[in-house]
Amino acid sequence: MTSYVFPPPQTPSLPVVGSEARFPVRRIFCVGRNYADHAREMGHDPDREPPFFFDKPADALVIGEAAIPYPPLTAKLEHEAELVACLGAGGRDIPVDRALDLVWGYAIGNDLTRRDVQAQAKKLGRPWSLAKGFDASAVCGPVHPLSATGHPASGRIALSVNGATRQEGDLAQMIWSLAEVISILSREILLCPGDLIYTGTPAGVGPLQPGDRIRIEIAGLGHLENTVA
């Protein structure tokens, strides 16, 4: 029997729609600027940029409709509505035509960003992991099994704050399809069951304040609501 110097942390997990079982989360990967209109609003050319990735720690999850604590050291917390792919299998160097075989289900996510921290890091040429991977930075709703949703390649994705629409687009507007994202990411890192992939956000990202009520809707997945604490 293994002995530890202190109790090991529990594995973060997400609820599964229609089941008492939980989806264990291993790692969280995010693809940046995967919608052309969002790439442009961030000052980049979507026609020339290959996909790039960053990650968040699994214990940064805000699960379901839990309150979002406003993070320290920022005056510009911003929302990013995203489709989240939840992997039930893994591998390396996965071909595009087999990439979707890794997906177990889908969820609604919000890739929270300390935008001012990110901007300062970019200006200084430093990593901006703490602008993306801070505590409670990865909001994620319950996992919808693939058997209930299929692979949502198109459909509305939208985010509102206090009833006012901020972001609205279609999943078909992704620059790189989910299959391509999985395949490209698997060339860089070994993917495993329990990995989450946040697939990018449409234009309209914007600031949040304590007390704001956020609602994200994705076709086929319903909606997710959270309040900034």
Side-chain angles (χ1 to χ4, degrees), residues 165-186:
T165 299
R166 294 267 191 92
Q167 294 183 267
E168 188 167 20
D170 194 287
L171 299 175
Q173 295 169 336
M174 289 185 191
I175 298 171
W176 300 91
S177 70
L178 175 59
E180 291 170 324
V181 165
I182 292 172
S183 178
I184 294 168
L185 181 58
S186 75

Side-chain angles (χ1 to χ4, degrees), residues 103-215:
V103 179
W104 191 89
Y106 292 91
I108 296 173
N110 190 349
D111 167 19
L112 296 173
T113 304
R114 295 195 290 193
R115 193 70 70 193
D116 47 356
V117 176
Q118 184 187 42
Q120 181 68 6
K122 288 180 177 179
K123 180 179 178 181
L124 297 174
R126 296 174 178 172
W128 36 273
S129 56
L130 291 183
K132 285 286 193 177
F134 54 92
D135 294 340
S137 60
V139 181
C140 194
V143 181
H144 297 251
L146 181 64
S147 59
T149 63
H151 294 293
S154 63
R156 182 174 182 262
I157 176 172
L159 179 147
S160 63
V161 177
N162 302 325
T165 299
R166 294 267 191 92
Q167 294 183 267
E168 188 167 20
D170 194 287
L171 299 175
Q173 295 169 336
M174 289 185 191
I175 298 171
W176 300 91
S177 70
L178 175 59
E180 291 170 324
V181 165
I182 292 172
S183 178
I184 294 168
L185 181 58
S186 75
R187 299 172 197 165
E188 300 191 44
I189 197 163
L190 174 66
L191 295 174
C192 293
D195 289 343
L196 304 182
I197 300 178
Y198 282 59
T199 58
T201 194
V205 300
L208 295 166
Q209 302 296 332
D212 282 348
R213 185 72 175 172
I214 309 158
R215 179 184 174 97

Side-chain angles (χ1 to χ4, degrees), residues 28-52:
I28 301 174
F29 301 100
C30 307
V31 57
R33 297 192 290 265
N34 198 30
Y35 286 72
D37 52 0
H38 174 58
R40 293 188 188 98
E41 77 174 348
M42 300 302 291
H44 297 269
D45 183 351
D47 296 326
R48 286 189 269 174
E49 245 187 3
F52 71 94

